[in-house]
Structures are given as C-alpha cells and as structure tokens.
Amino acid sequence: MIEKWFEKDLEHIHSKHAIAVFVDESGDARFLLKSLNDSVTIYETNGELDELKTKYEIEKKRNVESRYLIYTNTPKDKLKFVREYCETNGCIEIKYFESYIKQKVNHYLNLNINLPKEELISAAKVSIGKDQTYWMDLSHKGASEIFDMEKELLPFLDNPETYLNKYDKKTQLIFFKKIHELLGITYVKKPAETLAKEVVNAMLKGLANNKPDKVLLNVYKNWLDSVSYKPSFFNYLAKYKLQPKSDIFNVHPSHPFRKLDELWLSEIGSRIDDRNFISSVLPGINQRVADKIAVGLGITFWVHVKTLLEFDEKNINQISNFNEAVDFYLHHYHKVDHAIRKLYSEFLTDKKLIEPLQAYYKNLSVLFLDKWFRFIDDFEPNQKGKIQELIDKNAEKTAIVVGDGVSWEFSRDIISRIGKDFKLTSGYLLADLPSETEHNMSRLYVSTGEIMAVKKDREKFLSETNPGKSIGFVDLENVTELTSQYHYLICSYKDPDKLGETYQQKALKYFDQVADLYAGKIQQLLQNGYKQVYLITDHGYTLTGMLEESDKIEVRFNGVVRVNERYILTKQPQLIDKDLLLEKKMEYKGFRYCYFAKRLGPFKTPGVYGYSHGGLSPQETIVPFLKWTSESLNEDLLQVIISNKAELQEVAGNLFAVKLKGVSASDNLFTTERKIILLFFADGVKVNESDIITIEKNQELKKEYQFGSNHELEMKILDAITREQLDGLTIKQGTARDMGGLL
C-alpha cells in the first residue's frame, strides 16, 4: 500500500512538471523505486559529479512527454546542480522514513501505528501489493501482523534461500524473529534452511500429537493443496523421524504419517472382535475417511475398512428365500466383497495387516453363503442367447460390450467412472454353471446352447444367425471416434479375467486401469452415435487372499475325476459331506456330475491360487447386466450437419469444401450456437483435427481442406466439449481432373 501513496506524491509533481526529485536521506525508502512503471526514467546521484552528469543527460533528451525522477541520499540543502529542480518543479523529501510511513497511514486511513523503527520500515516493505486492510490489521493487532505467516511461510519452506531474496537483510531479520515467536523459541541466528526445517518439524510434531498450531496447520493444508509447492513437502517428510507414541489414536485426522495408519490397522486387527473397541475408534476412522488431505496423500483404504467394520451381519438372518439372497447381495453384501478386494490390493504382501481383516471377511462370508446355499435349488441361469435377445429387441444402433470376468462388485467401479450425462439401467444375470469363460461365453453368443471354445466361431455363428443385419465385432480397446459403421457392434474385452488368471491377486493393482478403459470406451460408443450400450459378462470371480493349507478343500472321489479350483467334474456320483459340497447332475465335457464348494476356499489343485471362478457362489454367478443410453444428452442443443454430402462423394482435385449448418426445431438459449471440431481419418488413423469452430443457428459455414496423400477421408463432427458425434461421412477424391474453371 505504501507504494500507492508514494506514487500519488510523485504524480502530484509529474502532473505539472516532467522532472521530480526524491530526497531519501536515510536510504530506507529506496525500495519504492521498484514499484514505479517504465514510463518514469530514474537517475541516481551520489555527489556533485553525478548531479552534473544527470542534469546534462536529462536536458539533452528532455521532451514534453517524458517523465524523470532524480533519486538521491544527499540532503536537499546540500544539493548543487539538481537543487533548482527541487525549487522550480517539486521534491519528495524523506528525512526519516518511519515518520513518512506514520504520516501517510494517518492521512489516508486515520490510523496511528506505533511500532519500533525497524519493524515499521519492514511493515512498509511487506505492504507492497497489499490493500488498506493490511495496515488496519497492523494497527489493531500489532507487530504480529507485519507478515501474514500463513502466506509467507509456504513459499519460504518450499525454497528458503530463494524466497528471502525479495527482502533486504533488515526485513529478513524481522521475518526470522517472527518465525521464532511463532515457534515459541528464543531467536538465534541460523541458516534459512535450518529454520525452515525447524518450522516443518514443529508442524509435523503438532499433527502427530494432535496439538497443531493453527497457523502451521493452515500452512500444511495449503502446502498439500498446491501443485507447485507439494513436492518439497515430501522431501521434508522423508527426513522426519516420527517419535513413538503411547496413544496412537491421539493424532490429527489430517496427519501425513502412513506408519500411524498402519499401526491403527494393526491394533484394529488384533481387537477386531471387540465391538466396544471398534465403536470407540470408528469416529476417528470416519474423520480419516472424510479428510481431503488424507485422500490427497493416497491414504484411501480406510473407507474399505469402514465398510467391513460397519457391516451388520445380523441382517443376513432376515433372508428367507433365494430372491432375497440375490437382492441382499446386489444391494448390500457386494460392498463387503468390494472392500476386501481393495484391501487385498493394498496389503496383500503384508500378512500382519491383512490376515485379521481377511479372517473377519471370511466369517461374514460363511454366514452369507450358508443362506445362499440354503435356497440354491431356486438358482436358474439366464445367460443363454442374451446377445441375440438384445439384437432382436433393439431397432436403434446398439453396442454390446462383452466383458470377461466382470463381477457385480467390480462393475460398480465402471459405473462410477461414467459421466452422469448418460442414463444407466442396472440389472443382473445369473451365470450358467460351471461359471467359466468357454462355457459361459458360448451361452451369451450361441442361442442353441452349443459350446464353442473359439471366439471367432461364436462370432461367426452370430453373423450367420442374423443374415442381412449389420453386425460388427471389435476388441474394446480398439474402439475410437471412428467406430460407428455397424448398426450392431459387439465389443469384447479379455480383462479382468486374463489379468487374474495370469497374475492372480497381483493383478488387482491393474483393476483401476481396466475400469478406466471400460468406462472410457462405453462413453466413446455413446458419443459415436450408439443409442444404447450394454455391458454383459460371462462370470464373476472370487479372491482367496492369503491361503493356509487348511483353507484348501481336499476330497477323495472315485472314478474319472477332473478337479478345478472352484468345481469338480465326475462321471459317477460321489459320497459327499453336504455341509461342505453341493452336487449338480449335469452333462458337461463328457462328465455327468458337477460338485461345488459351499465356501470361498478353493479345491486343492496343482496350480496357483488367488483369483478364480467356475463355482456357484454369488460372487461368481451374479453378474452385471447394464445399459447406458444417450437419452439424457441434451436433445435441445443445436444440431450441426454436413449440408453438402452429395458434393463430397466424388471430389475433383486435392481441395474440398465442407459446408456445416446449425439446425434446430427448438428456440431456446441452448440452440443459439454450438462449438464443434472436425476429425479426419484415413485407414482408421486420425490424420487431422480442426480448431474449435463456433457455429450459430441457421448459419452455414464453409471450411476448406486438402486430401493430401489420401484419396479417401472419413470425417466426423464432434461437440468440442462432450465429444458427442453429431454427423459424419466418407469424402472421396474422384478420378476426374479438376480443370480449375477452364471449361
């Protein structure tokens, strides 16, 4: 603020004269020169020779429009050659800068500032760029307000040496003393980096002991919220030594110490059956879950621990039939599966932390599976011919995404990633038995019930069953803005099943990427003009976690037997423990009987364990049947079409013109204009993308482009914001020569 008052004094002279003199006897006000803009030419004098030279330079190039300021520390009465400018033009004379500051604050704000000289001058320097509230706070609250520590500390901590360069040594000293006051320690001269480390240590100690200083807490939060400053925080954190605590739960909810979170988790695991203890720590867990700082630090597993701990197993007792068991899984129990999957992905290599949580989860599973298998006789698969059914019932452009191993709980991750602009209809299917890929994919594709092991054979069957219909097949990862030529599009994707079978539970760290791909491609298909996109799958999966030998189910069957991780095939019926196993009489791969475990543990097999399917648990057999539609995209938005499509079917020459027209039957605010982009593809590869084009209602724009080395281009019009596809066509270069108007 002080610079504004100084500029007013200077302007008072410059409004009448081109030359002004600034006499600053103490030199304390020199910093004010930096605030002046380039329209003022500054000369500094130190002695008679400098004065003479300055006067000569000014008079030599002086003109009416130029403004000059002569700065000197020489008292006015001792000036020689520039003294006449003081008398004839004007002079700003500051003998004691602290007096000048007090006078200006009193004159403009009617405030009295009572600070020691050095602090008052430092306050003036800090006030540069600030408004009058700075001086008002300083007047009411005293020297503590010279520096806004919440704003000043963060850049200082990020780079102590560089940040201090903006202050002179005296102001730096005041700043250092204020930091010492904040920390409650006696001032001792030390390097800036050492002081910065002490500030961070005090900050982290306060968080660890749940006694943070208010200023340091706000600095901490702003630090972790800053993209540019955040990296330096982790450098400090890596060097900080967390001291042992007698009460690990007495910690600030925004703390950055993952080690403390793991100590919490270890203690919770050791007392997980103590409901009074769990009730006492849940408020702290809730705070950690809701804390934005913790989430920003990547400490997000508490929401899944919370799901496990708060699940009320007594609700399982209310299940009285199979439909209720299915409904309970769809709306409640799948959240428990989701939580344990996320916790496995976080802690599977840490046996001490995951084992108690896994045991707790397995106890819940025993309770739920007991109900599930009690009513299992009412289980009726309904996957057979589902793709054909969708083709028959949908006349509009339809895409069907066929996932492999997309469980109900995992599908929630996909749903959460798809924008709210698309309407979701959520349903489920019951997978056929045994719930494995070869069998269940055949059920989805082949309405006759025949098992086809090869994907190409299943696709061929579907095409031959629908003669005359435009049916295309594509791997989901290959869907682009260009994917729209088929009326019915079947998009297959091998993950997460292939990931799980290849890497077992190590694959869990990739599942977020898989969910991203599903969501991105489903949205792309909707934007490409498909009116509805379905997601179906062959089966779900189970996760065995950390296995002991006692977890593996070992049976002694007679005759010809094939043992899989989640089911066993035999040609002859077996004597079984009906509390442990379920028998299904069914013809499959030359066998007549199939046996399923009534718990999530695997049968003992020679292979690896972890990620598996094939069984009859709800995790494996209740699978998503989802539909997204583009109905909720705003139909009132201005539509943009290509108005000269016929001309673009055979273009003479290398140049072609596209005419774009904005059309709408509505008359509202949303139909006045629309921003679009044009994409051009050749052989399925994007070769050009236009700038953003704004088109208004009833306006026709002409845009010219070149074929280049391509003789055929696929062009798409996309909404510039939503990427929704509005129109498109194939532009072909004709064989006739362009005569350029000669004929």
Side-chain angles (χ1 to χ4, degrees):
M1 197 73 194
I2 190 71
E3 81 280 13
K4 300 297 182 184
W5 299 329
F6 173 74
E7 288 168 8
K8 285 184 179 181
D9 288 344
L10 186 59
E11 179 59 28
H12 180 71
I13 300 173
H14 275 156
S15 64
K16 299 176 182 178
H17 305 282
I19 305 168
V21 180
F22 179 15
V23 177
D24 176 23
E25 291 190 28
S26 67
D28 291 329
R30 189 179 185 282
F31 71 94
L32 292 172
L33 299 178
K34 296 179 181 179
S35 65
L36 299 179
N37 59 45
D38 295 336
S39 66
V40 178
T41 303
I42 301 172
Y43 291 92
E44 295 189 35
T45 66
N46 184 22
E48 293 183 15
L49 187 60
D50 278 348
E51 289 184 47
L52 180 61
K53 183 179 179 181
T54 295
K55 184 174 183 180
Y56 172 76
E57 291 290 336
I58 292 175
E59 295 297 336
K60 181 177 69 172
K61 58 184 179 181
R62 178 176 177 182
N63 61 64
V64 177
E65 296 181 357
S66 297
R67 291 183 169 188
Y68 304 94
L69 177 65
I70 301 170
Y71 174 82
T72 181
N73 302 132
T74 305
K76 180 179 175 180
D77 57 3
K78 293 184 180 180
L79 291 173
K80 299 295 184 182
F81 297 101
V82 300
R83 174 67 180 271
E84 65 178 281
Y85 294 132
C86 295
E87 305 299 340
T88 59
N89 294 358
C91 174
I92 301 174
E93 187 176 6
I94 300 178
K95 190 170 185 178
Y96 303 107
F97 186 43
E98 64 273 22
S99 298
Y100 178 82
I101 298 168
K102 290 180 180 180
Q103 185 267 325
K104 293 301 177 185
V105 172
N106 183 266
H107 175 75
Y108 285 103
L109 303 178
N110 196 28
L111 296 173
N112 294 314
I113 300 292
N114 295 307
L115 291 177
K117 173 186 173 182
E118 297 300 333
E119 290 190 352
L120 187 58
I121 293 174
S122 292
K125 293 175 180 178
V126 174
S127 77
I128 298 291
K130 295 180 170 58
D131 60 23
Q132 64 186 29
T133 57
Y134 173 81
W135 291 104
M136 295 172 70
D137 287 343
L138 199 61
S139 173
H140 296 135
K141 301 177 183 177
S144 63
E145 296 299 314
I146 292 177
F147 296 96
D148 184 339
M149 299 304 282
E150 289 187 15
K151 294 182 179 178
E152 299 280 347
L153 274 178
L154 182 50
F156 168 69
L157 297 176
D158 182 69
N159 196 328
E161 294 293 342
T162 302
Y163 180 70
L164 288 173
N165 290 337
K166 75 174 188 174
Y167 295 135
D168 58 31
K169 294 297 182 183
K170 292 180 179 178
T171 305
Q172 288 180 23
L173 179 60
I174 299 294
F175 181 58
F176 287 156
K177 287 182 177 179
K178 294 303 176 187
I179 292 178
H180 281 78
E181 288 178 17
L182 178 67
L183 299 181
I185 57 178
T186 304
Y187 172 74
V188 176
K189 186 178 179 180
K190 63 193 71 170
E193 289 185 355
T194 302
L195 183 57
K197 183 179 178 181
E198 290 181 0
V199 172
V200 177
N201 286 347
M203 175 191 294
L204 296 176
K205 183 178 179 181
L207 290 165
N209 296 320
N210 202 17
K211 294 180 180 179
D213 175 85
K214 182 180 178 181
V215 171
L216 295 183
L217 178 60
N218 289 334
V219 171
Y220 168 72
K221 290 181 177 180
N222 291 332
W223 203 348
L224 289 179
D225 198 39
S226 169
V227 175
S228 57
Y229 292 142
K230 192 173 183 178
S232 62
F233 172 78
F234 293 106
N235 292 332
Y236 285 107
L237 183 63
K239 299 173 184 176
Y240 181 77
K241 293 183 179 180
L242 182 66
Q243 298 301 311
K245 288 172 55 66
S246 58
D247 182 1
I248 60 173
F249 291 97
N250 183 29
V251 61
H252 194 276
S254 296
H255 75 83
F257 307 109
R258 185 180 173 89
K259 179 64 177 177
L260 283 178
D261 287 285
E262 293 180 358
L263 289 173
W264 274 30
L265 201 56
S266 178
E267 184 69 12
I268 288 169
S270 67
R271 303 173 65 180
I272 199 165
D273 294 321
D274 183 345
R275 301 316 296 173
N276 290 330
F277 169 74
I278 296 300
S279 295
S280 71
V281 299
L282 272 174
I285 292 175
N286 289 332
Q287 284 184 309
R288 199 70 169 140
V289 167
D291 191 82
K292 293 181 179 179
I293 297 297
V295 172
L297 289 167
I299 302 172
T300 57
F301 62 83
W302 284 113
V303 68
H304 310 302
V305 176
K306 172 181 165 70
T307 297
L308 278 182
L309 298 180
E310 290 186 338
F311 180 79
D312 190 351
E313 67 271 18
K314 292 192 293 294
N315 291 325
I316 296 174
N317 296 328
Q318 307 303 315
I319 299 172
S320 60
N321 56 57
F322 182 73
N323 288 335
E324 288 181 2
V326 171
D327 188 71
F328 188 82
Y329 186 80
L330 294 174
H331 294 97
H332 304 289
Y333 197 81
H334 81 274
K335 298 174 184 177
V336 178
D337 284 331
H338 182 266
I340 199 64
R341 173 169 65 85
K342 292 291 188 177
L343 291 170
Y344 280 152
S345 67
E346 189 100 19
F347 299 111
L348 195 60
T349 59
D350 194 326
K351 185 175 181 180
K352 180 182 177 182
L353 292 180
I354 195 62
E355 219 170 27
L357 299 174
Q358 174 179 277
Y360 188 78
Y361 165 74
K362 287 185 175 180
N363 288 337
L364 294 177
S365 295
V366 168
L367 295 174
F368 180 58
L369 290 177
D370 177 66
K371 284 285 188 178
W372 172 261
F373 282 105
R374 188 175 302 181
F375 306 111
I376 201 65
D377 289 344
D378 291 327
F379 182 96
E380 290 290 341
N382 57 351
Q383 286 181 308
K384 185 178 175 182
K386 185 54 66 174
I387 295 178
Q388 183 63 54
E389 178 185 318
L390 295 178
I391 292 173
D392 292 340
K393 70 181 285 189
N394 290 288
E396 295 180 309
K397 287 190 71 171
T398 300
I400 304 169
V401 176
V402 185
D404 193 349
V406 180
S407 68
W408 176 265
E409 65 88 3
F410 176 67
S411 72
R412 306 301 97 179
D413 283 359
I414 299 171
I415 291 171
S416 68
R417 287 165 164 80
I418 294 181
K420 302 301 182 183
D421 290 335
F422 304 106
K423 180 182 177 182
L424 170 66
T425 303
S426 182
Y428 71 95
L429 298 175
L430 295 178
D432 219 314
L433 303 174
S435 54
E436 63 174 12
T437 300
E438 178 183 307
H439 181 223
N440 290 24
M441 283 295 183
S442 296
R443 285 290 186 264
L444 291 171
Y445 280 83
V446 185
S447 55
T448 62
E450 181 183 353
I451 296 177
M452 296 183 179
V454 181
K455 175 186 168 187
K456 289 293 183 184
D457 292 340
R458 298 193 291 265
E459 293 175 347
K460 180 181 178 183
F461 173 86
L462 203 60
S463 295
E464 292 177 348
T465 306
N466 295 275
K469 290 185 178 180
S470 173
I471 300 178
F473 302 92
V474 65
D475 289 339
L476 186 65
E477 59 264 44
N478 294 330
V479 168
T480 67
E481 295 103 329
L482 197 60
T483 309
S484 63
Q485 61 268 47
Y486 295 103
H487 193 83
Y488 298 102
L489 185 66
I490 316 300
C491 312
S492 55
Y493 191 49
K494 59 186 178 296
D495 290 336
D497 194 40
K498 185 175 181 180
L499 275 173
E501 292 180 348
T502 303
Y503 301 107
Q504 296 300 304
Q505 291 180 116
K506 292 180 181 178
L508 294 178
K509 63 182 178 180
Y510 302 113
F511 274 34
D512 282 345
Q513 298 172 33
V514 174
D516 287 339
L517 188 141
Y518 272 108
K521 297 303 183 181
I522 288 170
Q523 290 183 112
Q524 182 70 71
L525 289 164
L526 288 163
Q527 291 163 347
N528 285 1
Y530 285 97
K531 295 302 180 183
Q532 52 265 321
V533 178
Y534 289 88
L535 172 61
I536 58 177
T537 189
D538 50 354
H539 55 74
Y541 56 82
T542 66
L543 299 171
T544 54
M546 304 184 82
L547 277 177
E548 303 292 340
E549 280 301 310
S550 59
D551 295 317
K552 302 171 186 176
I553 305 169
E554 189 170 8
V555 297
R556 289 183 172 85
F557 282 179
N558 299 316
V560 180
V561 178
R562 178 184 295 177
V563 180
N564 295 277
E565 193 171 334
R566 292 293 297 153
Y567 66 97
I568 300 175
L569 297 173
T570 70
K571 292 192 175 182
Q572 301 296 329
Q574 308 290 324
L575 290 174
I576 61 171
D577 181 346
K578 292 186 178 181
D579 291 330
L580 182 63
L581 301 177
L582 176 75
E583 178 187 272
K584 285 276 187 181
K585 189 174 182 180
M586 52 189 289
E587 297 289 337
Y588 186 65
K589 293 186 175 181
F591 294 87
R592 298 180 61 195
Y593 295 90
C594 191
Y595 294 89
F596 301 98
K598 288 186 175 182
R599 68 187 196 199
L600 294 182
F603 288 111
K604 190 170 185 178
T605 64
V608 295
Y609 301 91
Y611 171 98
S612 59
H613 54 87
L616 187 46
S617 72
Q619 291 86 349
E620 297 161 279
T621 56
I622 300 178
V623 292
F625 176 43
L626 310 176
K627 180 178 76 170
W628 287 271
T629 61
S630 56
E631 293 172 3
S632 61
L633 288 174
N634 197 329
E635 300 293 343
D636 290 333
L637 290 176
L638 182 69
Q639 297 302 303
V640 181
I641 63 170
I642 303 165
S643 59
N644 65 330
K645 288 184 177 180
E647 299 173 10
L648 298 172
Q649 297 305 301
E650 189 170 348
V651 179
N654 191 46
L655 290 172
F656 61 90
V658 177
K659 294 180 181 178
L660 307 169
K661 189 171 184 179
V663 296
S664 177
S666 302
D667 188 16
N668 59 50
L669 179 65
F670 300 105
T671 60
T672 57
E673 67 175 32
R674 195 166 193 174
K675 296 183 184 297
I676 61 168
I677 57 172
L678 308 182
L679 301 183
F680 297 88
F681 301 84
D683 298 322
V685 177
K686 186 168 71 173
V687 294
N688 192 19
E689 179 174 333
S690 74
D691 294 332
I692 294 177
I693 301 167
T694 301
I695 187 168
E696 298 177 356
K697 183 178 179 180
N698 298 326
Q699 180 186 24
E700 187 171 71
L701 295 179
K702 180 180 178 181
K703 297 290 181 179
E704 293 187 328
Y705 299 95
Q706 291 182 320
F707 281 102
S709 60
N710 304 295
H711 299 293
E712 186 172 299
L713 293 172
E714 186 80 13
M715 191 192 86
K716 303 289 184 183
I717 303 177
L718 271 61
D719 183 286
I721 299 173
T722 67
R723 308 290 288 190
E724 177 191 358
Q725 192 173 126
L726 307 178
D727 201 358
L729 86 162
T730 301
I731 305 171
K732 299 179 180 179
Q733 187 179 38
T735 55
R737 182 185 173 196
D738 183 2
M739 300 303 291
L742 296 177
L743 295 179

